[in-house]
Amino acid sequence: MRAISELGEKKVIETIVGCLDLMPDMSVPFGDDVSAIKLGDSTLAVVKTDMLVAETDVPPGMSLRQAARKAVVMNISDFASKGVKPLTVLVSLGLPSSLTEKDVEELGLGLNQGAREYGAYVIGGDTNEASDIVISCSLFGVCDEQVLVKRNGARPGDIVAVTGQFGKTAAGLKILLEGLDAPEHVTKPLKEAVLMPKARLTEGLALAEAKVLTASIDSSDGLAWSLHELSDASNVGFTIEHLPIAPEAVEFARKHGLDPWELGLYGGEEYELVVTVKPELWEKAEKIMKNLDVSFTAIGRATEEKKIELTVNGETRPIKRKGWEHFRN
Amino acid sequence: MRAISELGEKKVIETIVGCLDLMPDMSVPFGDDVSAIKLGDSTLAVVKTDMLVAETDVPPGMSLRQAARKAVVMNISDFASKGVKPLTVLVSLGLPSSLTEKDVEELGLGLNQGAREYGAYVIGGDTNEASDIVISCSLFGVCDEQVLVKRNGARPGDIVAVTGQFGKTAAGLKILLEGLDAPEHVTKPLKEAVLMPKARLTEGLALAEAKVLTASIDSSDGLAWSLHELSDASNVGFTIEHLPIAPEAVEFARKHGLDPWELGLYGGEEYELVVTVKPELWEKAEKIMKNLDVSFTAIGRATEEKKIELTVNGETRPIKRKGWEHFRN
C-alpha cells in the first residue's frame, strides 16, 4: 500500500474526490480555486477553504501575526483569481496549549489585518487544541455567474499574461530557510515578499468585471505549476517567450550562481495572477491594468498542442510540472 | 504571561474576537453556533466552521471513516440547532505523510457519508501535510432571517426542552478511553453513540420552521455547558427538574458506582438539541416532535435569576459550567 508521501497531493485529492457524490449542477468544477453554489437566477455563493500549517507553511522569521495574515491572504488570492470579492472569513484554529495570551492576540491581529486589507471581515470560527499551529480559513462571497473566471476557458491563440514580477519569494525562501545571504537592499524586499504577501484582488476584480479573461489562476504553487493546472483544465498547451523576473531576484541569482528562470518558474507562495486573454481583448485588458498602475505582462500564447515550453533566444525547453506540492516537498 | 492552557477556550476566543473589526449589521452575534451574512431582503447566507483534531477528538476505536464522518456531523449539528439546512461542505485536511492511499479513501468515504446522510454535498477543499490528522469542515446554507434560531432569545418562564436521552457518550468514552467494562448489550449502544453520532437536523429544521423556539443550541460540549451558554446569551437562569438519562447509561453508572446525572450533565460529544419554548407554544412543539417520532422532553424552566440549578426530590444543587473545553481538558 503506497503512503501518500509517494502519491503527492494531486493524487491524494483525486482519491478523495473519487469517494464523493458529486453535487448536481455544479457551476464551478472540482479542482478549481473556489467552489460555488447557485442561489437562483445568475447569482453564485462562492466559498473556498485553505489551511496553513505552521510546520510546512511558516518559514523561520515569519511572526505569528504575519502567519495569521498570510493564512487569510492566500485564500483571498484565490478569490482574486476568480474575480470574486470576499465578504467574510471564518477561521478554524488549531493551537498548541503552550501558546501565550499574547501569541493568541498576535494571531487575532494578523487575521483581522489579512481580512481588512481586502475589505472582508472575520465573522466567526472555532479554536482547538493541536500539536502544531493550524489556521484554516474559509471565505464567502457572492458574484454573478457570468463574471467568475474559471480555469477551463483558455483556447489556443489566447494570450497568457501575468501580473507583477516573479522570483522574489523563491529567493526570499532561500534566505529564510537556507540562510543564503544577499546585500541589504535585496534581502529586504525578498524577505518582505515571503513575509507580507499581497493578493491581487483589485486587479482580479477589475479584469473579471470587464470580462476580458478566458481563464485565470493565481501562482501560489509556482508559475510553472499554475500553467500546468490551466493546461489540464483548459486542454491547451502554452509557449512562454518572456517572463518578468524581479530585478532583486536576478541580482540574488547572479550572486549565488542560480538560474533566475528557475526562481521565477518553480517558486511558490507568490500570489500573482496568471490569466489568459482573447487577443482581440488584449488592449482592453492592458488598459485596465495600466489604469490601476499595475505591471501586466504578456508572457506567451496558448497552443493547440498540450505542451508547455519556454522559448528564449531561439532555445526551447520544457516547463516541468514542478513547484510546491504537499507530501512531496 | 499566561499560557492558553490556563486561559481555557472561552478566554482564547474572547482574546481573538477582541482583535477583530466587527462587521456592521451582523444578523447573528459572535459566539453563536453559526455566522450569517445578509443577502438582501430577508435571506441569510449561513456559514460555520469547526475543526476535528485526531489527537484530542478521536478516541481509540474510532476508524478513520468514522472520524471523517464525525467531523462533518458535528458541524451539521450546529446548523440543526439553528434550524438551517446545510447545502454544501468544504473540507480542509491536514494529513501526516505516513497515511496510505487506503487511509485517504476511508477519510473521503467518511466525509461523503457525513454530508449525504443530511442531504449535503462535499464540493471542495484542500489537503495539507500535518503531523496529526486535522479535518476542518465549513458548511454553507441559506435560510430566512426569521427562521434562524439564535442562542439569545430565551426569556424567564420559557420551557427548556431536549431531544433524546443523555449520558451515553460520556459512558461510551469511559469505555473507549479508560477501558471500563460493561455487559455487551450496554457496551454496544454506548460505543455506537460515540463512534456514529447523529445530528438532529430534521428535528431542528421542523422546530425552527414552525417558529416555536426562542433559543437553541446543541449539546456538543455537554448539557451543562450548553445551558450555561444559553444562560449567558439570553441572560436568564434555568431550573432543571428532570433529565432523560439513557437506560444504558444508568446501567453503566450503577455498575461502576458513577452518578448517572453527572454522565448526563457533564458529558459531551452528544449532539442533542437544547431549546427553549414559549409555554403557549409548547403543545405545538411537542406535537411536531411526536409526528417525527422523536423523544422530546421538557426538563425545566428559564428563570429571571441567572442561576442554573438542578432540583430533584426536593434537593437543589448547582449545575456547574463544566464540560468539554479545549486547552483545559
Side-chain angles (χ1 to χ4, degrees):
Chain A
M1 181 60 67
R2 285 181 299 174
I4 58 178
S5 51
E6 294 166 64
L7 295 176
E9 188 173 9
K10 224 176 147 63
K11 179 76 183 128
V12 168
I13 294 173
E14 266 174 43
T15 303
I16 293 170
V17 173
C19 298
L20 304 175
D21 292 357
L22 294 191
M23 183 167 73
D25 201 20
M26 277 177 82
S27 343
V28 176
F30 250 108
D32 210 310
D33 303 280
V34 299
S35 305
I37 305 105
K38 286 199 175 126
L39 290 178
D41 56 69
S42 69
T43 307
L44 296 179
V46 180
V47 289
K48 157 86 203 170
T49 188
D50 203 355
M51 182 185 275
L52 177 141
V53 179
E55 205 180 337
T56 48
D57 300 327
V58 177
M62 179 177 271
S63 69
L64 284 178
R65 193 188 294 205
Q66 288 170 333
R69 177 187 169 279
K70 181 190 163 187
V72 179
V73 172
M74 67 193 205
N75 276 282
I76 288 185
S77 177
D78 282 310
F79 263 52
S81 74
K82 305 292 106 175
V84 183
K85 189 174 159 45
L87 297 176
T88 63
V89 184
L90 293 182
V91 184
S92 207
L93 287 168
L95 304 173
S97 58
S98 59
L99 291 187
T100 66
E101 195 170 354
K102 179 76 186 149
D103 293 335
V104 172
E105 199 178 294
E106 287 296 310
L107 289 170
L109 291 170
L111 293 171
N112 189 60
Q113 189 182 344
R116 298 305 299 135
E117 278 178 27
Y118 300 93
Y121 289 94
V122 177
I123 60 163
D126 81 310
T127 59
N128 307 273
E129 196 164 346
S131 51
D132 190 17
I133 295 179
V134 177
I135 309 176
S136 177
C137 293
S138 53
L139 262 54
F140 170 81
V142 172
C143 84
D144 188 281
E145 192 168 8
Q146 300 305 314
V147 168
L148 191 146
V149 189
K150 289 177 260 190
R151 291 182 177 185
N152 62 10
R155 294 294 168 262
D158 285 358
I159 293 171
V160 198
V162 295
T163 57
Q165 298 175 318
F166 287 76
K168 281 203 279 193
T169 55
L173 283 168
K174 282 188 182 294
I175 295 173
L176 293 166
L177 290 173
E178 300 169 31
L180 295 196
D181 65 330
E184 176 70 13
H185 73 280
V186 172
T187 301
K188 213 177 152 212
L190 295 180
K191 280 164 74 171
E192 190 78 1
V194 176
L195 302 177
M196 293 293 282
K198 307 272 186 294
R200 295 285 192 182
L201 183 60
T202 311
E203 297 85 338
L205 293 179
L207 290 169
E209 186 61 40
K211 300 200 169 83
V212 295
L213 305 182
T214 53
S216 175
I217 189 171
D218 75 357
S219 63
S220 55
D221 294 321
L223 177 56
W225 190 271
S226 300
L227 290 170
H228 276 273
E229 289 292 317
L230 285 182
S231 162
D232 284 351
S234 294
N235 200 29
V236 294
F238 293 109
T239 303
I240 305 302
E241 294 177 328
H242 178 68
L243 202 58
I245 307 285
E248 297 91 340
V250 173
E251 190 173 336
F252 179 84
R254 195 172 301 134
K255 182 177 161 68
H256 292 285
L258 299 167
D259 181 348
W261 292 85
E262 288 273 321
L263 292 180
L265 280 169
Y266 304 112
E269 313 287 306
E270 199 150 47
Y271 298 93
E272 299 296 344
L273 301 179
V274 185
V275 301
T276 55
V277 184
K278 285 222 170 311
E280 59 271 27
L281 293 173
W282 174 249
E283 228 173 286
K284 188 176 174 189
E286 236 187 345
K287 203 170 158 191
I288 291 166
M289 298 302 262
K290 189 166 275 173
N291 285 342
L292 292 174
D293 200 20
V294 172
S295 147
F296 188 56
T297 314
I299 62 168
R301 291 270 185 171
T303 56
E304 190 105 30
E305 198 186 356
K306 237 189 119 182
K307 281 205 294 200
I308 307 182
E309 293 180 326
L310 179 68
T311 301
V312 210
N313 304 329
E315 194 202 324
T316 295
R317 48 174 166 165
I319 294 178
K320 286 167 268 176
R321 178 185 275 285
K322 204 176 84 180
W324 178 258
E325 189 183 13
H326 279 298
F327 312 119
R328 283 235 165 124
N329 289 75
Chain B
M1 182 60 68
R2 284 181 298 174
I4 58 177
S5 51
E6 295 166 64
L7 296 176
E9 186 172 11
K10 223 176 148 64
K11 179 76 183 128
V12 168
I13 294 173
E14 266 173 46
T15 304
I16 294 170
V17 173
C19 298
L20 303 176
D21 293 356
L22 294 191
M23 183 167 74
D25 201 19
M26 276 177 82
S27 343
V28 176
F30 251 106
D32 211 310
D33 303 279
V34 300
S35 306
I37 304 105
K38 287 199 175 124
L39 290 179
D41 57 69
S42 68
T43 307
L44 296 179
V46 180
V47 289
K48 158 85 203 172
T49 186
D50 203 355
M51 183 185 275
L52 176 141
V53 179
E55 206 180 338
T56 49
D57 300 326
V58 177
M62 180 178 271
S63 69
L64 286 178
R65 194 188 295 205
Q66 287 170 332
R69 178 188 167 279
K70 181 189 164 189
V72 179
V73 172
M74 67 193 203
N75 276 282
I76 287 182
S77 176
D78 282 310
F79 262 53
S81 74
K82 304 294 107 174
V84 183
K85 190 175 159 44
L87 298 174
T88 63
V89 184
L90 293 181
V91 185
S92 206
L93 287 168
L95 304 174
S97 58
S98 58
L99 291 186
T100 65
E101 195 170 355
K102 179 74 187 150
D103 293 335
V104 172
E105 199 178 295
E106 286 296 311
L107 289 170
L109 290 170
L111 293 171
N112 189 60
Q113 189 181 345
R116 298 305 299 135
E117 277 179 27
Y118 299 94
Y121 288 94
V122 177
I123 61 162
D126 81 311
T127 59
N128 307 271
E129 196 164 343
S131 51
D132 190 16
I133 296 178
V134 177
I135 309 177
S136 177
C137 292
S138 53
L139 261 55
F140 169 81
V142 173
C143 84
D144 188 280
E145 192 168 8
Q146 299 306 314
V147 168
L148 191 146
V149 188
K150 289 177 260 193
R151 290 183 178 186
N152 62 11
R155 295 294 167 262
D158 285 358
I159 294 171
V160 198
V162 296
T163 57
Q165 299 175 318
F166 287 77
K168 281 203 279 192
T169 55
L173 284 168
K174 281 187 183 292
I175 295 173
L176 292 167
L177 290 172
E178 300 169 30
L180 295 197
D181 66 329
E184 175 70 14
H185 73 281
V186 171
T187 301
K188 211 175 155 217
L190 295 179
K191 281 164 73 170
E192 190 79 0
V194 175
L195 302 177
M196 292 293 283
K198 307 272 187 295
R200 294 286 192 181
L201 182 61
T202 311
E203 297 84 338
L205 294 178
L207 290 169
E209 186 61 41
K211 301 200 169 81
V212 296
L213 304 183
T214 54
S216 175
I217 190 172
D218 74 358
S219 63
S220 54
D221 295 322
L223 178 56
W225 191 270
S226 301
L227 290 170
H228 276 272
E229 290 291 318
L230 284 182
S231 162
D232 284 350
S234 294
N235 199 29
V236 295
F238 293 109
T239 304
I240 305 301
E241 293 176 330
H242 178 67
L243 203 57
I245 307 284
E248 297 91 339
V250 173
E251 188 173 338
F252 179 84
R254 194 172 303 135
K255 182 177 162 69
H256 293 284
L258 299 166
D259 182 347
W261 292 85
E262 288 273 320
L263 292 181
L265 279 170
Y266 304 113
E269 312 287 306
E270 200 150 47
Y271 298 93
E272 298 298 343
L273 301 180
V274 185
V275 302
T276 55
V277 184
K278 286 221 169 312
E280 60 269 29
L281 293 173
W282 173 250
E283 228 172 289
K284 188 175 174 188
E286 236 186 346
K287 202 170 157 191
I288 290 166
M289 299 302 264
K290 190 166 277 175
N291 285 342
L292 292 174
D293 201 20
V294 172
S295 146
F296 188 57
T297 314
I299 61 169
R301 291 270 186 172
T303 56
E304 190 105 30
E305 199 185 356
K306 236 189 119 184
K307 281 205 294 199
I308 306 181
E309 293 180 326
L310 179 68
T311 302
V312 209
N313 304 330
E315 193 202 324
T316 294
R317 50 175 165 165
I319 294 179
K320 287 167 266 176
R321 178 186 274 288
K322 206 177 81 180
W324 178 257
E325 189 183 14
H326 279 297
F327 312 120
R328 284 237 165 124
N329 288 74

